Amino acid sequence: EPADEKRVKMSLFGILQKKLKDEPLSNSVPELRKAETRLEDQYREFIGDIFCLWDQPKRQPEDMEEPPGTEWTLRQLQNKLERSLCRNLKSMGLGDNYSTIQTPVHPDIAAKLGNYEELLWVLQQHPCYLSRLAQCLSVVEETELGERERRISVPPSLFMDVVSGIFARLRDSRTRRLFMSLLRLQIRQEIKIHDKSQNKDAHTLFDAKNSRVVHMVKFFVEHKHFSDIHSNMFDPDKPGSLMSIILDWTIPEKGTLDDTAKPREAHEIPHFCFAMTDEDLLQQQPPEVHLSDENRQEILANMADEFQAHQLNFFSFLGRLARSDEFAEAQAHHAEAAAHQGRSGAQNRKKGKLKVRKTFTDWMCDLQPQGDLSSIFACIKDFMDDTMDDEERFMKRVEFEAQMKSGSTTEQSDVERIVFRPILMLLVNSIIGHLLENWHKVMSKQMLASAMRKIKERLLEKSKDKNGTQDAKQAKLTEKQIEKETNEVMNKLTFNVKQLGIFMNRALRQDFGPAQAVLKEHGSRLISDLCFDVVEKLLDGAEDETEAGLTLDLYQSHYTLPEIVVSLRTDTLLQLSNALWWFQDQVVALKRSMFMEDRLFQTVDAIQPEVTQYSGDRIKDPRIKSATAKDMESLGSDVKVYKMARLWPHFISIIAEQTAIAHNFTIKARFLEHHRDLTFCRDCQAPILRSMCPLAQRGRKDLRLIRKYLPDRGEEIEGTYPFDTIIQMLSMPSNVLPNLKSQDWISLKYELQDIQKAAYDRISRGSKANAQKDLSLIAELAKAKEACELVRTYGKQTSALVRLVYCSLEDRQELNRYHEAIEDHREQIVRAQKFYKDQLKDMIANLNNIVHVSEEARLPDVLVRKAEQSGVSLKLAKVEKANRRAQAAQPKHQAYAVLLPSATLSLGFLRSKQIVAWIQQDFPHNQYKRISFSFSAQESGDWEVVVLHKEHRSTNALFSFTITVQEIDRMRGAGKTAKVSYQNGWAVMNAFNLLQLLARITADAC
């Protein structure tokens, strides 16, 4: 019998039986299924409404009111305004003026900016892609792409450059929760790697040098979304803020008293610095003190007593670092002192009593959980629980529950401290310590001004005599010196803030020299006692609510009209697409034959240059030259050559770096307008399209509105699920199955056999009513016996069953919380829906008025009279008359046939307006005058373009191409600066000028 099977000295199966029976009814599978059905019905109403947001309003019977407008109405008004503007410009003689966009971006890159916009949306919407890419990139060194002469490197900062660009708008709840989903993936990945490594020292997890999680959390907490945390740390006007406490210990007020010192007169040391070494003290010397190699040692010797006073002040500032068993008492003492100070503070000040300064320990005791950070801490705890020696953790939990009566919980406490260690690392290194060291990034100008004001007030107060007055000479002297001393104290204050952050990070690593034993002891107690207890307090009741938030954001974001814009530099875009292309096998995570079905791969394939674009001369193999992405599987070992040939080359990267500008991209958060294949990723819980799914989710095609319960049935053995069968048996009611006493598979089998015999005896003696129940019990026990024999034969340990039971219970509890959360969120969606409809109604009304004014082109009467008096002829007055004539000439009844816009324009005209940038180089110049382009709009919104060649009296069509609605949308966004190629490069058009042409053709047809 394996050793761990003998460890548990209690009824193992009895405990599992009790755990399953004690499961709350709301967590049971039938109740979860009912909740799913109820919630799907509720959310189906939302999704049905969202799918209709862009539809044309249905006409109501004549006796009913006009149907409310939709976004289709809004877009029709926008098009109407655009046509009216084009007509007005034409009437004013400005119709032939085409605006152009000058950009330093290389034309090959500009042509792909629309595809990059799609790529950034895919990466943001499905964080799994970025998480997989992160595993391929080095954190500290450059990553090489390609081989030999085609080798290209990307910097280690690429990942954070992309993340900080894509997720810059963290105040938007959808963006923030998608970022947290990516962070969760990174946390789980780093914990998994750490768990598999040989060095499992808790200090190596979330190491500042090698951890992406550390960099992501630092980026997260620096954002203004955490202004409450920033205020609690750095706002001097906020009572109890860390900055106000540090100010009290930097420049003590008159008559202050702390727990470790006697009343200190203000003139002894005017202001303190948190010096950890004598060199720190030297940095704070006034500018007039000249430091040289000769006098340095002498100055240090004279400053020995002063240095000791500064260090004692720093230790007093840290406070009485409570040990674990004293933490609750310290909290209670601090709360009582704060209440007492609130009741009698004013009275004490009037009587001149000594004031007690708060310490860093007091501030730490006051820390309160913050929603998003609590979610991060909770997910770290969950992931750490899941990776602690596999089944070993669950066996310890069984032992712990069996020993609860004896009060022996030491082992469980040790396990918890192991779990808390990585959370502590992030709290100290990436949050508190990082913000303190980088105070200048988050401290606002208002906070700095408040600190200066408080310092100045305190210096003025200290300059007064005991009677609270100043003579004229002293007042004049103070006025001259006060500004200088205020700046000096401000520098010392910010130095102390940074020093505290450095001390915390060094205490975490125990990075102190031999002569810093006292500092080391204080740092050790800060981390091992105080901070551990603070983490335990912050984790109390913390839950990871990211998944429910992602579901809420899916629906809320579609009821939000403002667009989300992100910004990335040109060189970062090239490095990103190169990395995604080179590591496509790791990032896409599908079979090679399925790559063309993946949304990310399709987008990257459209971005990367073709084989012959930059590598045509180097590639000799005709198979590789003519290959496309669909042929990659057939290339075999030559696939690396093909991938290298399609990387953006080094010289393009250099051009991008030299002309690097930030590009704005619109993220299509409301993706359900064009895509209805909605589901939820099982790895990151984000709402995604089926074309983004991992392999395990590719088989299904149904529409998922919320996450559904997928039970874990355990390992499949010989076509059955024996662990699931045993769990079903253990879940039977107590009045059917008695409490089990077995410890292993064999004893369980024999115990079940004894229960079967007892059931047979009852059948032989009992009534027919009970016989049916006993027969069902016998059948279930027979299945359980077969399952026991099967798992025993295959060498499966009981710890695997324990793990499955505990994980299943936790999964069902988590899903129940998810159901409760999204049911509560339903009211938020209803409010967002109502706000959206009211906002849309106002926008339609306002735009209607604007269109009406534009179509009339009528000036206010005051301006018309003033122009007539001055003898000035107004162009807009002519436009107004032309519009009236056009309306009068318009037939009262429109024909039944709908006339779509069309126009035929010569190549010369298109080149003069820079619509056509160039055509195929080998086309004869003497034929240019015979070429024309015929543009015809289609009902679908596409434009059909036919290239015509006129020879004498005959006109022949050379070829045709289509400008799709998707291409037009791309041109309106990031692709407006692109040069778009048609018919394999025969004609290349400037996107922005082409958009203006299509708008003018549409206006002329109306």
Side-chain angles (χ1 to χ4, degrees):
E1 196 71 29
D4 71 329
E5 299 284 357
K6 297 178 180 179
R7 286 175 55 249
V8 185
K9 304 300 182 182
M10 84 292 287
S11 175
L12 174 63
F13 292 102
I15 290 177
L16 297 181
Q17 194 178 11
K18 187 175 186 305
K19 289 288 293 184
L20 290 166
K21 290 175 182 177
D22 291 345
E23 183 182 27
L25 180 62
S26 58
N27 292 358
S28 63
V29 176
E31 291 299 316
L32 291 177
R33 298 294 188 200
K34 290 180 184 178
E36 281 178 1
T37 303
R38 183 181 70 256
L39 290 169
E40 280 192 323
D41 291 341
Q42 295 175 358
Y43 277 76
R44 190 169 284 109
E45 296 178 9
F46 292 130
I47 207 71
D49 183 59
I50 288 172
F51 285 162
C52 298
L53 294 181
W54 302 274
D55 292 348
Q56 183 176 357
K58 295 181 180 179
R59 287 193 171 276
Q60 303 291 338
E62 294 181 0
D63 58 341
M64 296 185 68
E65 295 181 359
E66 188 73 17
T70 66
E71 289 191 50
W72 180 90
T73 311
L74 190 66
R75 291 174 182 178
Q76 290 297 110
L77 287 172
Q78 289 171 342
N79 293 335
K80 201 172 182 180
L81 179 61
E82 192 175 80
R83 294 194 296 268
S84 173
L85 177 62
C86 290
R87 285 196 298 269
N88 292 343
L89 288 174
K90 186 176 182 180
S91 300
M92 296 171 68
L94 302 174
D96 289 337
N97 294 344
Y98 282 71
S99 302
T100 59
I101 298 178
Q102 300 295 332
T103 173
V105 181
H106 192 281
D108 291 350
I109 302 173
K112 306 291 186 179
L113 290 178
N115 301 105
Y116 275 113
E117 191 169 65
E118 169 86 2
L119 175 65
L120 297 184
W121 168 72
V122 172
L123 292 176
Q124 189 193 71
Q125 190 65 43
H126 195 196
C128 286
Y129 287 129
L130 274 176
S131 178
R132 296 183 199 127
L133 177 63
Q135 299 172 36
C136 305
L137 302 175
S138 172
V139 182
V140 295
E141 299 176 350
E142 291 187 342
T143 304
E144 301 292 338
L145 312 179
E147 296 177 352
R148 297 185 295 275
E149 70 279 358
R150 290 285 292 177
R151 185 180 291 111
I152 300 172
S153 61
V154 295
S157 62
L158 173 62
F159 178 78
M160 280 309 303
D161 290 343
V162 174
V163 168
S164 59
I166 293 179
F167 299 101
R169 291 189 58 179
L170 289 173
R171 284 188 170 177
D172 171 64
S173 62
R174 172 188 165 275
T175 305
R176 184 172 65 257
R177 289 195 178 106
L178 286 171
F179 171 82
M180 291 178 65
S181 176
L182 173 62
L183 181 57
R184 291 172 67 209
L185 291 172
Q186 286 301 112
I187 289 171
R188 181 168 60 188
Q189 180 64 27
E190 292 191 16
I191 291 176
K192 188 183 296 183
I193 293 173
H194 176 266
D195 184 61
K196 292 180 179 179
S197 64
Q198 295 181 352
N199 181 16
K200 292 190 178 183
D201 183 8
H203 293 77
T204 60
L205 181 59
F206 300 148
D207 175 62
K209 183 179 179 182
N210 300 306
S211 171
R212 293 196 190 279
V213 172
V214 169
H215 297 302
M216 292 178 70
V217 172
K218 288 179 179 179
F219 161 73
F220 197 26
V221 297
E222 285 179 10
H223 198 272
K224 292 182 179 179
H225 170 67
F226 292 101
S227 56
D228 290 344
I229 294 178
H230 302 163
S231 175
N232 189 36
M233 293 183 69
F234 301 114
D235 188 356
D237 291 329
K238 183 174 182 178
S241 70
L242 184 56
M243 181 62 79
S244 65
I245 296 174
I246 296 175
L247 179 61
D248 286 341
W249 290 89
T250 302
I251 177 169
E253 293 183 276
K254 278 188 175 182
T256 55
L257 177 71
D258 58 71
D259 295 335
T260 60
K262 296 178 180 180
R264 182 182 293 118
E265 293 296 334
H267 64 269
E268 292 180 7
I269 296 181
H271 26 80
F272 293 87
C273 68
F274 296 167
M276 289 186 284
T277 65
D278 47 13
E279 291 293 333
D280 293 339
L281 199 57
L282 281 178
Q283 292 180 21
Q284 297 303 307
Q285 292 302 305
E288 56 268 17
V289 178
H290 178 68
L291 292 176
S292 63
D293 295 336
E294 292 77 14
N295 66 356
R296 177 181 292 269
Q297 294 302 321
E298 181 182 352
I299 294 175
L300 289 175
N302 295 333
M303 291 170 50
D305 292 339
E306 184 181 353
F307 173 64
Q308 186 178 6
H310 284 288
Q311 278 217 329
L312 286 174
N313 181 71
F314 180 48
F315 297 149
S316 300
F317 158 77
L318 293 176
R320 292 180 299 185
L321 298 174
R323 298 189 183 279
S324 181
D325 54 353
E326 301 169 353
F327 183 72
E329 183 181 350
Q331 275 189 292
H333 173 73
H334 172 65
E336 183 181 351
H340 177 72
Q341 185 178 4
R343 290 191 302 268
S344 57
Q347 183 179 0
N348 290 341
R349 282 192 294 273
K350 287 181 181 178
K351 294 181 179 180
K353 289 187 176 181
L354 299 173
K355 294 180 283 292
V356 178
R357 290 177 287 182
K358 292 182 66 174
T359 65
F360 181 62
T361 300
D362 297 330
W363 183 81
M364 290 288 286
C365 291
D366 280 343
L367 279 181
Q368 297 298 320
Q370 197 278 344
D372 293 326
L373 294 181
S374 295
S375 292
I376 295 172
F377 295 159
C379 83
I380 294 174
K381 182 178 181 298
D382 292 341
F383 293 151
M384 286 295 294
D385 282 344
D386 291 340
T387 55
M388 286 186 61
D389 297 328
D390 298 324
E391 289 87 7
E392 184 73 15
R393 175 179 68 93
F394 298 97
M395 299 302 289
K396 284 186 177 182
R397 286 176 63 173
V398 172
E399 288 185 77
F400 176 76
E401 290 175 9
Q403 298 168 4
M404 281 291 288
K405 292 182 180 179
S406 63
S408 177
T409 59
T410 305
E411 192 170 5
Q412 182 77 356
S413 177
D414 293 340
V415 171
E416 286 181 349
R417 289 183 75 85
I418 295 173
V419 171
F420 290 170
R421 181 73 197 187
I423 302 173
L424 175 67
M425 296 275 288
L426 285 183
L427 177 66
V428 173
N429 181 37
S430 302
I431 301 176
I432 299 177
H434 172 71
L435 291 177
L436 288 170
E437 284 195 65
N438 298 273
W439 59 269
H440 54 279
K441 293 184 178 180
V442 295
M443 198 170 176
S444 66
K445 293 181 179 179
Q446 183 179 357
M447 294 177 186
L448 287 169
S450 297
M452 294 285 285
R453 174 176 49 79
K454 284 186 171 292
I455 292 171
K456 190 172 183 178
E457 290 173 355
R458 194 160 298 185
L459 291 174
L460 286 171
E461 183 68 24
K462 293 180 72 173
S463 67
K464 295 178 181 178
D465 59 20
K466 292 183 179 180
N467 296 323
T469 60
Q470 291 178 324
D471 56 27
K473 184 177 180 181
Q474 181 66 28
K476 188 175 182 181
L477 181 64
T478 303
E479 187 178 349
K480 292 180 178 180
Q481 293 182 345
I482 195 67
E483 292 298 329
K484 178 182 177 182
E485 191 171 358
T486 300
N487 291 327
E488 289 178 2
V489 176
M490 186 64 194
N491 292 334
K492 191 162 292 187
L493 177 66
T494 54
F495 171 81
N496 289 348
V497 170
K498 186 173 182 178
Q499 280 290 97
L500 178 59
I502 294 173
F503 171 75
M504 292 188 70
N505 286 321
R506 292 178 65 180
L508 189 66
R509 304 189 305 269
Q510 286 294 288
D511 182 20
F512 295 103
Q516 296 177 311
V518 180
L519 275 173
K520 185 175 182 180
E521 180 185 355
H522 277 77
S524 178
R525 292 195 63 186
L526 173 70
I527 299 300
S528 61
D529 296 331
L530 177 64
C531 289
F532 264 113
D533 292 314
V534 170
V535 168
E536 186 173 11
K537 172 190 170 185
L538 296 179
L539 275 174
D540 186 24
E543 294 180 2
D544 184 7
E545 300 178 348
T546 305
E547 182 179 9
L550 287 168
T551 304
L552 168 66
D553 292 330
L554 166 68
Y555 295 91
Q556 272 193 328
S557 63
H558 282 81
Y559 288 120
T560 305
L561 287 170
E563 296 178 331
I564 296 174
V565 178
V566 302
S567 180
L568 259 76
R569 287 163 51 94
T570 313
D571 51 343
T572 304
L573 293 171
L574 294 185
Q575 293 164 3
L576 172 63
S577 62
N578 272 346
L580 290 169
W581 176 255
W582 184 252
F583 296 115
Q584 56 186 257
D585 296 303
Q586 295 87 343
V587 174
V588 176
L590 292 175
K591 297 177 182 177
R592 170 63 67 180
S593 58
M594 301 175 66
F595 270 30
M596 291 306 299
E597 302 173 16
D598 186 77
R599 188 60 174 250
L600 177 79
F601 182 80
Q602 294 169 5
T603 309
V604 177
D605 176 47
I607 288 174
Q608 295 303 106
E610 296 298 330
V611 175
T612 56
Q613 188 169 349
Y614 298 113
S615 305
D617 298 336
R618 300 180 181 180
I619 304 298
K620 305 300 181 184
D621 191 336
R623 288 189 315 124
I624 300 177
K625 270 191 173 183
S626 60
T628 62
K630 295 179 181 178
D631 307 320
M632 291 179 68
E633 191 175 11
S634 62
L635 292 177
S637 59
D638 291 332
V639 71
K640 277 191 175 182
V641 180
Y642 175 79
K643 286 165 64 175
M644 282 190 291
R646 293 197 60 188
L647 292 172
W648 288 102
H650 184 61
F651 79 90
I652 291 289
S653 301
I654 294 175
I655 294 174
E657 289 178 10
Q658 293 175 347
T659 60
I661 59 173
H663 302 273
N664 293 330
F665 299 96
T666 302
I667 298 297
K668 298 180 180 178
R670 309 170 74 214
F671 60 91
L672 291 179
E673 177 183 2
H674 302 293
H675 310 285
R676 305 296 165 91
D677 52 335
L678 174 66
T679 188
F680 290 83
C681 177
R682 295 176 192 169
D683 294 329
C684 65
Q685 283 83 46
I688 58 172
L689 305 180
R690 287 285 178 186
S691 57
M692 301 179 187
C693 283
L695 183 61
Q697 292 182 254
R698 288 278 170 163
R700 304 184 66 90
K701 301 294 182 183
D702 57 321
L703 177 68
R704 287 290 175 87
L705 307 179
I706 59 174
R707 182 171 76 89
K708 304 191 74 172
Y709 176 61
L710 297 174
D712 184 0
R713 304 183 64 186
E715 185 179 352
E716 183 179 0
I717 302 175
E718 295 185 3
T720 63
Y721 296 91
F723 287 115
D724 186 54
T725 303
I726 296 172
I727 291 175
Q728 295 298 326
M729 179 268 297
L730 294 174
S731 304
M732 297 173 72
S734 302
N735 59 349
V736 177
L737 182 69
N739 293 332
L740 300 175
K741 301 178 181 179
S742 305
Q743 282 294 117
D744 51 51
W745 301 124
I746 296 177
S747 61
L748 176 61
K749 179 181 177 182
Y750 287 128
E751 186 175 5
L752 296 180
Q753 188 172 333
D754 292 340
I755 298 173
Q756 279 183 312
K757 289 179 181 179
Y760 278 122
D761 291 341
R762 288 195 300 271
I763 291 173
S764 62
R765 299 192 309 268
S767 63
K768 292 183 179 180
N770 293 329
Q772 187 63 37
K773 184 190 296 185
D774 286 329
L775 287 173
S776 299
L777 173 62
I778 291 169
E780 290 297 324
L781 295 179
K783 295 178 184 177
K785 284 166 55 182
E786 293 177 4
C788 288
E789 185 61 28
L790 194 59
V791 294
R792 190 187 70 83
T793 303
Y794 277 82
K796 304 301 177 184
Q797 299 180 3
T798 53
S799 55
L801 176 67
V802 174
R803 186 180 194 279
L804 182 60
V805 169
Y806 275 75
C807 285
S808 298
L809 291 172
E810 289 172 358
D811 289 345
R812 290 198 287 270
Q813 183 180 5
E814 180 184 344
L815 186 63
N816 183 41
R817 287 199 298 263
Y818 169 76
H819 286 164
E820 292 174 351
I822 63 173
E823 192 156 20
D824 294 340
H825 290 162
R826 184 176 178 275
E827 293 301 321
Q828 296 184 44
I829 300 175
V830 171
R831 288 196 296 270
Q833 187 182 47
K834 183 179 183 304
F835 180 78
Y836 162 82
K837 291 181 178 179
D838 293 342
Q839 187 181 26
L840 182 64
K841 183 179 178 180
D842 293 341
M843 291 178 70
I844 290 174
N846 293 334
L847 194 55
N848 244 325
N849 294 333
I850 295 172
V851 170
H852 179 71
V853 171
S854 177
E855 287 183 337
E856 282 194 341
R858 184 176 179 180
L859 287 169
D861 294 338
V862 176
L863 295 179
V864 173
R865 287 195 300 269
K866 190 68 175 176
E868 289 175 351
Q869 293 172 4
S870 304
V872 177
S873 178
L874 298 175
K875 285 188 176 181
L876 206 58
K878 298 178 181 178
V879 174
E880 182 182 357
K881 293 179 182 178
N883 288 348
R884 286 178 183 174
R885 288 195 299 268
Q887 290 177 3
Q890 187 176 1
K892 295 182 179 180
H893 301 286
Q894 296 288 344
Y896 288 103
V898 178
L899 300 178
L900 295 172
S902 63
T904 300
L905 303 168
S906 67
L907 175 60
F909 173 81
L910 297 176
R911 292 184 68 200
S912 67
K913 301 303 178 185
Q914 298 185 29
I915 298 163
V916 173
W918 63 78
I919 62 173
Q920 197 171 13
Q921 292 183 357
D922 57 357
F923 189 78
H925 285 260
N926 60 0
Q927 296 295 315
Y928 280 12
K929 60 184 179 182
R930 303 181 185 276
I931 298 296
S932 59
F933 287 66
S934 177
F935 297 84
S936 302
Q938 309 296 307
E939 290 186 4
S940 62
D942 298 343
W943 285 78
E944 186 75 20
V945 183
V946 181
V947 179
L948 305 172
H949 181 267
K950 188 174 182 180
E951 186 71 32
H952 302 298
R953 295 184 179 180
S954 63
T955 302
N956 301 312
L958 299 181
F959 56 84
S960 65
F961 56 87
T962 302
I963 305 173
T964 64
V965 174
Q966 290 76 15
E967 289 176 335
I968 293 174
D969 287 342
R970 201 174 293 138
M971 293 176 194
R972 294 181 189 276
K976 64 170 62 75
T977 60
K979 288 179 167 51
V980 189
S981 173
Y982 293 103
Q983 195 64 20
N984 297 323
W986 194 92
V988 177
M989 298 187 177
N990 290 306
F992 188 59
N993 299 63
L994 178 60
L995 275 178
Q996 296 177 71
L997 173 67
L998 299 181
R1000 283 168 167 80
I1001 294 174
T1002 304
D1004 290 343
C1006 298

